Amino acid sequence: MSKMSTSELRGYQQICGSNGAMMVIACDQRGAMRSLLTSDPELQAKISEKQLGMIKSDITRYLASNASCVLVDPVCAVPQLVDDGVISRNTALLIGLDASGWDTSPEGYRLSRLVPNVNARHVRELGGTGGKIMVYLRSDRDAANHHNIAILRQCVEDFAKEDLLLVVEYLTYQLEGESDQEYKAKFPELIKGGAKIALECGAKVLKLPYPGSPQACAEITRIAGDVPWAVLSAGVDHATFLQQVADAMSNGASGVIAGRSLWKDCISLDSEMTKGKLKTLAVPRLNEIQAVIRQYYHAGKSNGGALAGQVNYG
């Protein structure tokens, strides 16, 4: 297992709340955010990066200010969040490296992409506490992963040289010709296999989908060892995600990195409407997630999860 350096550990402490658990608001999406704003592809194409940046600013100001950290992209959101004084001094900043969407190999595998000219040094220059890289993995198909593993290793090495925290996210996906039933049956093993690949590549903090059950969460904790992991929301409904958070936290997860499940019903191109819904809908949802984290976090640590580098948070 790769151990965090002192500098990386300090960054990790900053993306965690006072209880030592991660509570990160993710709004680094671009394509997914456009699709939530309108179902019309032509209208989606007309939504500018500046408009997305304004929505991300509202999410940061009205929602992430109640959390420990915000995750944004380097295309629409920064440096404005810092330069315009939007982000609170008490809110850490993660910057995503992955480009929106993916390429497809001749065999039908997803090929991850990076935002051009964004590396660890640039993340630091933008005021980032750390970075986040997302890659697609099919752990049951070695040929599917060569390109994406190379990207992952490149980013891990780059951030290690800069001595800057990097959160590693991986997603899996359904192959063409694979039935829904076949994919659902394979999903827990694909998440476990993805964790093993990410750890072998040097990941020091993991972000991953809910692996399917409390037992699968415990297995992720066993595989991860001293490497903390956070569960992502994947846009599921809020009630479903609350149960997933409880399962993950009570079985060793070290926190939550949530986006669409919190704000998907809140955003619009009308800033005043967005602000109102973030305050009345998203913030109460966040409070409920934080209550679940408080209830289960330390119990989950006693079940074998990583505890923020054994830092005393009181």
Side-chain angles (χ1 to χ4, degrees):
M1 300 295 173
S2 299
K3 185 178 180 181
M4 283 184 265
S5 69
T6 299
S7 177
E8 291 166 331
L9 179 58
R10 180 59 174 159
Y12 179 74
Q13 292 169 359
Q14 291 171 331
I15 72 171
C16 292
S18 59
N19 62 353
M22 286 177 274
M23 184 60 252
V24 181
I25 307 301
C27 56
D28 56 326
Q29 301 88 341
R30 278 86 80 199
M33 187 172 280
R34 285 185 169 95
S35 68
L36 288 170
L37 293 168
T38 176
S39 59
D40 187 327
E42 291 187 8
L43 294 178
Q44 289 176 14
K46 293 179 181 179
I47 298 173
S48 68
E49 292 175 357
K50 182 177 180 180
Q51 287 174 299
L52 291 183
M54 292 173 64
I55 293 170
K56 293 166 190 282
S57 290
D58 286 339
I59 292 173
T60 300
R61 189 188 302 275
Y62 294 97
L63 180 61
S65 60
N66 294 285
S68 54
C69 180
V70 65
L71 165 61
V72 300
D73 65 278
V75 178
C76 309
V78 286
Q80 305 93 289
L81 289 184
V82 177
D83 292 348
D84 296 344
V86 173
I87 187 168
S88 165
R89 65 182 299 275
N90 296 321
T91 304
L93 175 62
L94 288 176
I95 297 174
L97 309 174
D98 36 286
S100 186
W102 62 85
D103 296 323
T104 305
S105 75
E107 301 82 9
Y109 301 133
R110 292 187 184 182
L111 304 178
S112 301
R113 303 184 301 194
L114 297 175
V115 177
N117 304 316
V118 179
N119 57 17
R121 169 55 63 175
H122 190 49
V123 166
R124 192 183 292 280
E125 290 169 349
L126 290 170
T129 310
K132 186 273 298 184
I133 174 63
M134 187 281 288
V135 293
Y136 291 100
L137 297 172
R138 278 288 306 215
S139 58
D140 60 339
R141 301 283 187 100
D142 287 344
N145 302 317
H146 297 316
H147 172 87
N148 297 340
I149 285 175
I151 284 178
L152 179 53
R153 289 190 184 280
Q154 169 192 328
C155 292
V156 167
E157 181 180 352
D158 177 42
F159 273 73
K161 287 180 178 178
E162 188 66 26
D163 206 8
L164 189 63
L165 180 70
L166 178 66
V167 175
V168 172
E169 174 185 7
Y170 62 91
L171 300 177
T172 190
Y173 58 97
Q174 193 168 348
L175 298 172
E176 186 176 351
E178 186 175 42
S179 72
D180 292 347
Q181 186 176 5
E182 288 173 330
Y183 179 62
K184 183 178 180 180
K186 292 177 183 177
F187 186 81
E189 287 300 318
L190 292 174
I191 298 302
K192 283 171 53 179
K196 291 176 181 177
I197 291 172
L199 292 165
E200 288 168 1
C201 290
K204 299 177 181 179
V205 182
L206 291 174
K207 173 189 176 187
L208 56 116
Y210 177 69
S213 68
Q215 295 76 17
C217 291
E219 182 65 8
I220 293 294
T221 297
R222 184 192 68 78
I223 292 168
D226 290 335
V227 173
W229 66 277
V231 63
L232 58 87
S233 68
V236 299
D237 67 83
H238 178 60
T240 298
F241 188 52
L242 282 177
Q243 184 58 57
Q244 292 178 350
V245 172
D247 290 348
M249 298 304 299
S250 59
N251 286 282
S254 293
V256 173
I257 300 180
R260 287 170 292 166
S261 67
L262 284 166
W263 49 255
K264 66 180 179 180
D265 303 320
C266 304
I267 63 170
S268 76
L269 295 175
D270 182 332
S271 182
E272 291 305 313
M273 183 178 296
T274 298
K275 293 173 186 176
K277 287 188 174 181
L278 286 171
K279 289 187 282 187
T280 59
L281 187 58
V283 170
R285 286 175 175 173
L286 174 61
N287 291 339
E288 290 180 344
I289 291 173
Q290 290 170 321
V292 172
I293 291 174
R294 286 194 297 271
Q295 180 178 357
Y296 291 106
Y297 176 60
H298 290 291
K301 296 304 99 181
S302 67
N303 288 337
L307 181 55
Q310 288 71 54
V311 176
N312 179 14
Y313 288 91

